[in-house]
Amino acid sequence: MSRILTGVVLLLLSCTVAAQHAPDSTEKILDEVVITATRTENKVTNIPLPVQIISAKEIRQTGSEKLIDILQMQTGLVIATNPLGIAFQGYPNPFGTGIQMQGMDPGYTLIMVDGEPLAGRNGGVLNLDRIAVSNIRQIEILKGPATSLYGSDALAGVINIITDTPQKNAIGGRIHTGSNKALGVILNGALKGRKAFLELTGNRSSNDGWDFDDNIYGKTIDPSVQYNFNVKSGYKWNDKNDLMLSARYFEQKQFNDYEIIPKDLPEVVTGTTVEHEKSVYTKWNYRPADRLNFITGLYLTGYDNFSHAYLQENDSLYEQITLNQSLIKPEVQVNIGKSKDQWVAGLGANLEAVRSNRYSNKQKMNAWFAYLQKQKVFNGELNVIAGARFDKNSLYAAQLSPKLAIAWKPQPSLIVKASVGVGFKAPDFRQQFLDFSNSLVGYTIIGAKELGNGLARLQRSGLLPESVNIGPYIDGEPLEPERSVGINLGADYTFKPGTFVQVNLFRNDISNLIETYSLPFKQTNDKEIFSYTNINKVFTEGAEISVGHKINSHLRIKGSYNFLIAKDKEVLERIKNQKVYKRDVVTGVSQLVRLSDYKGLYNRSRHTFNIVADYLNLKHKAGLTLSLKYRSRYGFQGINGYTDGNLILDDPREFASGFALVNIVLKKDIGQHLNLQAGIENLLNYTEPILMPSQFGRGYFVNMNFKF
């Protein structure tokens, strides 16, 4: 691996040397504008918060069809397998993978489209295939607590996918083909008039799945087909009023085929898992005066997941899982003043409901919120943003989330940033209301509020001995929101247009962490009963360093390095008090765990870095993009069947090896309307069937992009 990485670095350096004598050209450098960090338009160089932008050009350069493949190659973002359990085939549970930011699990990052949240998390993870990449204008990534503006789920940060607004009449699309019989077709069209616009996008994609182990029946990743449809329209009555309406529809069908062993003899199970998402968003923008702006929005979204499996032998129903979640979100925001001296205030509500056969009844979680923010620029050098948000929920105590951020710009090329914020993450529906018994493995897991009813159900059905006293659990166990204090400190320095260095140091202290725990009694089948409670205190801290260099008009190189430490404070305290032991699996001898033995939370890498080199030959209208992402080793509980009995990461045998992903994309313009791309993804053919089943080995693709 080290020789391969050295070869890649040498290749980048040789490209740099070869391109240094290429002719340069004058380029107009635009200061990018972002919305996510402050809910208003601000130049990214003025914002006192760690913000990263992925432009539409960068997205197109990847040639990728999947949003998660684009995100995982970015600074400080890591694809993390959800560590909640194991699926029937022995692979990680079907909730899949998500984005880890600043060392926090995927459930702590808020994913939005045009400023509105996605619904339908399964086990804290969102299926990001729901978002088509074809009509994205840019992706804004805000790191650190953003609860002061966006509420729960934004403890680690926010990823806001902003869709395109047409500037002229156009029609375009893409035809994609690749490994595993992947086929994708995208069509989009835009109409732009003097007062109105309309954009339509449709996408169909499919693949045949893949298999890592011929000795296990079925495929590791099952075949699937997806459809995405988006419509966005707007009308401007006059200089004071404009209206925007957007709608999205997503459907995915996965064809399941696997084997179970219920009674010592294997049986084949087949079926489908179908996901639907429908959302509508309308926004009225009213500007009665130059320094006054009202934004009134209404967002409605619904998510459905329906899975059914049948025994192949007699076509009888083996298992059925249903989930239906809805969100209605009205909101009014008022902006007073301009970005150098501006107030932002908002008021809204989140009306959520969920229905599932794993919940006893339809459950509701209603909340209202209000936020206030002040931005003030002093002498053109000091930018101060202070704000807070108040959330009142029907299921838990009210939460106040303040934030303060300061940016100092002593010279145009340098900006120093500092911010501190308090955030929270609300207990989700699963942690509150789940009532589920695994028919195959036998365990039961019950949400905190449903604990009394769930235990009573088990006793009535004979699965819990009558001798067990469930009285202390009848009223359930109240869950408190998880709380966090996040600090970010950094600086950006621009040497010249296209050449920069950015540094950000971060620290997050999280309390009231919600974890599963085992009740002090078992079912009649000797299987455990689990529920949820607030127990742990953890912290994550580290540093991000990003550099970029525009060598000339032909070649640009960007790179970043992320250092991370993530540990459980209570584990550290127990180790200091000499209360933690580990047992040698060979000799059976137990010994005290030292502080130097404890390596932190599972599924976190100490080191990650990425490099992107983009070369463009203007004369031949051709180019090449080379990207590399390296992730160092990371701990995973129970890997290779190893355990020393203490459930903490303290032995080298609990680590999965580090790996590198390398992608290459060649591109060529043919005339003014046609572009061809050919690429190799995962050039080094990295695979990890157990921990990362969604990461296929070396793959190939060809894209034909057209636009008129």
Side-chain angles (χ1 to χ4, degrees):
M1 175 66 73
S2 61
R3 288 195 297 268
I4 292 173
L5 292 176
T6 302
V8 172
V9 173
L10 290 175
L11 175 60
L12 291 174
L13 293 175
S14 64
C15 290
T16 302
V17 174
Q20 283 181 349
H21 300 291
D24 202 352
S25 63
T26 303
E27 179 183 64
K28 184 178 181 181
I29 304 297
L30 299 178
D31 197 358
E32 295 167 303
V33 174
V34 294
I35 301 173
T36 308
T38 60
R39 280 186 176 263
T40 58
E41 291 188 352
N42 268 279
K43 291 183 178 181
V44 70
T45 54
N46 296 331
I47 294 175
L49 298 164
V51 178
Q52 181 181 351
I53 296 176
I54 310 173
S55 67
K57 180 181 178 182
E58 291 174 303
I59 294 172
R60 288 193 302 269
Q61 286 173 346
T62 67
S64 179
E65 293 279 281
K66 293 181 177 292
L67 178 62
I68 199 163
D69 290 340
I70 296 169
L71 292 176
Q72 76 167 327
M73 302 301 288
Q74 306 303 314
T75 305
L77 303 187
V78 174
I79 298 298
T81 300
N82 191 333
L84 293 180
I86 301 297
F88 296 133
Q89 305 96 318
Y91 299 112
N93 76 61
F95 295 143
T97 55
I99 296 295
Q100 187 187 97
M101 186 187 298
Q102 290 197 347
M104 288 189 264
D105 282 335
Y108 296 86
T109 297
L110 180 64
I111 309 292
M112 303 192 299
V113 176
D114 290 328
E116 299 300 332
L118 290 180
R121 288 183 183 267
N122 282 324
V125 174
L126 288 165
N127 178 10
L128 294 182
D129 289 346
R130 293 153 56 180
I131 309 301
V133 302
S134 54
N135 67 331
I136 296 178
R137 187 182 80 211
Q138 67 185 34
I139 301 173
E140 299 179 2
I141 303 172
L142 173 62
K143 299 176 182 178
T147 310
S148 63
L149 286 177
Y150 296 104
S152 180
D153 295 345
L155 217 58
V158 173
I159 298 176
N160 189 13
I161 296 102
I162 300 175
T163 60
D164 198 17
T165 299
Q167 303 300 315
K168 61 181 180 180
N169 297 336
I171 186 170
R174 168 189 285 182
I175 298 175
H176 169 92
T177 182
S179 300
N180 303 309
K181 297 183 180 179
L183 179 63
V185 178
I186 300 171
L187 292 174
N188 53 62
L191 297 173
K192 179 70 168 68
R194 187 171 61 89
K195 288 190 173 185
F197 70 84
L198 174 65
E199 183 174 53
L200 301 169
T201 303
N203 178 25
R204 180 198 183 276
S205 61
S206 61
N207 68 77
D208 202 36
W210 53 85
D211 189 21
F212 286 129
D213 192 341
D214 293 334
N215 296 318
I216 298 178
Y217 180 87
K219 294 189 173 183
T220 307
I221 298 295
D222 290 313
S224 64
V225 59
Q226 302 170 358
Y227 298 91
N228 279 285
F229 298 100
N230 299 270
V231 58
K232 190 174 185 180
S233 62
Y235 183 77
K236 185 175 183 178
W237 280 289
N238 49 47
D239 292 338
K240 295 183 177 182
N241 292 276
D242 61 77
L243 182 70
M244 189 274 289
L245 175 68
S246 65
R248 293 187 297 110
Y249 175 81
F250 166 79
E251 177 183 311
Q252 174 179 281
K253 179 179 285 188
Q254 180 175 290
F255 303 93
N256 305 317
D257 184 11
Y258 55 91
E259 191 176 75
I260 61 172
I261 308 178
K263 297 178 180 179
D264 297 327
L265 294 175
E267 294 189 51
V268 173
V269 175
T270 62
T272 58
T273 299
V274 180
E275 288 184 80
H276 290 104
E277 183 199 10
K278 307 167 188 175
S279 67
V280 177
Y281 175 56
T282 182
K283 181 177 70 174
W284 174 35
N285 198 340
Y286 175 51
R287 297 172 294 276
D290 182 53
R291 300 175 61 85
L292 182 61
N293 185 18
F294 293 89
I295 303 172
T296 304
L298 178 62
Y299 176 62
L300 301 93
T301 185
Y303 172 82
D304 299 285
N305 188 310
F306 177 70
S307 176
H308 58 267
Y310 297 89
L311 293 174
Q312 190 180 67
E313 183 179 15
N314 54 20
D315 204 33
S316 61
L317 182 65
Y318 169 70
E319 185 175 46
Q320 177 175 294
I321 301 172
T322 62
L323 173 66
N324 177 276
Q325 185 175 353
S326 63
L327 169 65
I328 301 174
K329 180 173 173 281
E331 183 176 358
V332 177
Q333 178 177 317
V334 182
N335 303 333
I336 304 173
K338 296 296 183 181
S339 60
K340 292 185 177 181
D341 188 1
Q342 187 174 44
W343 289 92
V344 176
L347 180 68
N350 289 318
L351 310 176
E352 298 182 75
V354 66
R355 189 194 306 272
S356 173
N357 63 347
R358 292 185 170 183
Y359 298 166
S360 58
N361 299 294
K362 180 180 180 180
Q363 304 293 347
K364 296 182 179 180
M365 191 185 305
N366 297 329
W368 67 269
F369 58 87
Y371 54 88
L372 181 66
Q373 177 181 275
K374 171 64 174 179
Q375 179 175 359
K376 177 71 174 179
V377 178
F378 298 90
N379 300 322
E381 294 183 359
L382 188 65
N383 185 5
V384 179
I385 298 177
R389 172 168 163 145
F390 179 81
D391 285 81
K392 182 67 177 71
N393 191 289
S394 59
L395 297 181
Y396 53 83
Q399 302 293 312
L400 181 65
S401 305
K403 188 165 189 174
L404 175 66
I406 300 173
W408 178 45
K409 205 170 186 179
Q411 53 181 288
S413 59
L414 175 64
I415 179 171
V416 180
K417 309 175 182 181
S419 63
V420 58
V422 176
F424 77 97
K425 184 181 186 301
D428 60 28
F429 282 105
R430 167 180 53 95
Q431 295 162 340
Q432 298 272 26
F433 302 114
L434 185 65
D435 187 359
F436 169 66
S437 294
N438 186 297
S439 58
L440 181 63
V441 181
Y443 70 85
T444 294
I445 184 165
I446 307 172
K449 278 191 170 294
E450 199 64 26
L451 188 55
N453 294 332
L455 293 176
R457 173 186 63 80
L458 291 176
Q459 278 193 334
R460 289 193 302 269
S461 62
L463 293 175
L464 186 65
E466 290 291 338
S467 59
V468 173
N469 179 20
I470 64 173
Y473 306 95
I474 288 297
D475 295 329
E477 181 175 340
L479 287 180
E480 296 294 328
E482 299 175 341
R483 299 287 291 176
S484 172
V485 177
I487 300 173
N488 285 266
L489 177 64
D492 300 350
Y493 186 77
T494 302
F495 295 90
K496 62 178 182 179
T499 300
F500 64 87
V501 59
Q502 299 171 328
V503 178
N504 184 59
L505 309 177
F506 62 87
R507 166 90 182 199
N508 298 286
D509 286 272
I510 309 168
S511 58
N512 288 339
L513 197 68
I514 299 174
E515 295 280 2
T516 57
Y517 74 100
S518 177
L519 271 67
F521 43 80
K522 293 185 179 181
Q523 302 176 82
T524 54
N525 62 2
D526 202 37
K527 298 297 183 180
E528 291 183 293
I529 304 171
F530 298 94
S531 188
Y532 298 91
T533 188
N534 298 100
I535 47 175
N536 289 8
K537 296 180 179 180
V538 304
F539 72 88
T540 70
E541 63 183 13
E544 288 183 9
I545 302 173
S546 299
V547 295
H549 182 40
K550 180 190 173 186
I551 297 169
N552 51 45
S553 61
H554 296 273
L555 182 63
R556 298 169 183 255
I557 294 180
K558 293 195 298 183
S560 66
Y561 167 73
N562 188 81
F563 175 77
L564 173 68
I565 297 175
K567 294 187 176 183
D568 188 316
K569 294 182 180 180
E570 295 186 2
V571 170
L572 289 171
E573 190 65 26
R574 287 168 52 215
I575 293 175
K576 290 178 182 178
N577 294 329
Q578 297 185 340
K579 294 182 178 181
V580 182
Y581 290 83
K582 63 179 178 179
R583 185 182 59 205
D584 190 291
V585 295
V586 177
T587 65
V589 176
S590 296
Q591 63 182 34
L592 280 170
V593 175
R594 299 168 299 177
L595 283 174
S596 59
D597 295 331
Y598 179 46
K599 304 304 180 184
L601 302 181
Y602 288 105
N603 210 14
R604 272 79 174 172
S605 293
R606 182 67 59 93
H607 311 282
T608 59
F609 69 80
N610 63 286
I611 300 173
V612 178
D614 186 59
Y615 174 75
L616 178 63
N617 189 302
L618 301 175
K619 179 179 179 181
H620 298 287
K621 296 183 178 180
L624 178 147
T625 299
L626 174 65
S627 56
L628 178 149
K629 179 69 173 274
Y630 174 75
R631 179 182 180 184
S632 69
R633 66 175 192 161
Y634 57 97
F636 209 93
Q637 186 173 332
I639 188 171
N640 299 322
Y642 175 83
T643 177
D644 57 14
N646 59 21
L647 302 181
I648 67 171
L649 181 58
D650 59 358
D651 192 283
R653 287 167 286 188
E654 295 182 273
F655 279 93
S657 300
F659 63 91
L661 300 176
V662 178
N663 301 331
I664 296 178
V665 182
L666 299 170
K667 50 201 170 185
K668 168 68 175 174
D669 291 336
I670 301 176
Q672 296 181 343
H673 306 292
L674 185 63
N675 170 267
L676 298 180
Q677 291 177 308
I680 305 175
E681 297 179 310
N682 194 3
L683 177 67
L684 304 183
N685 198 32
Y686 166 77
T687 58
E688 175 46 80
I690 300 298
L691 304 185
M692 296 184 66
S694 60
Q695 181 61 60
F696 179 64
R698 186 182 298 115
Y700 306 87
F701 70 87
V702 175
N703 293 336
M704 183 178 71
N705 305 292
F706 57 91
K707 191 168 186 178
F708 299 94

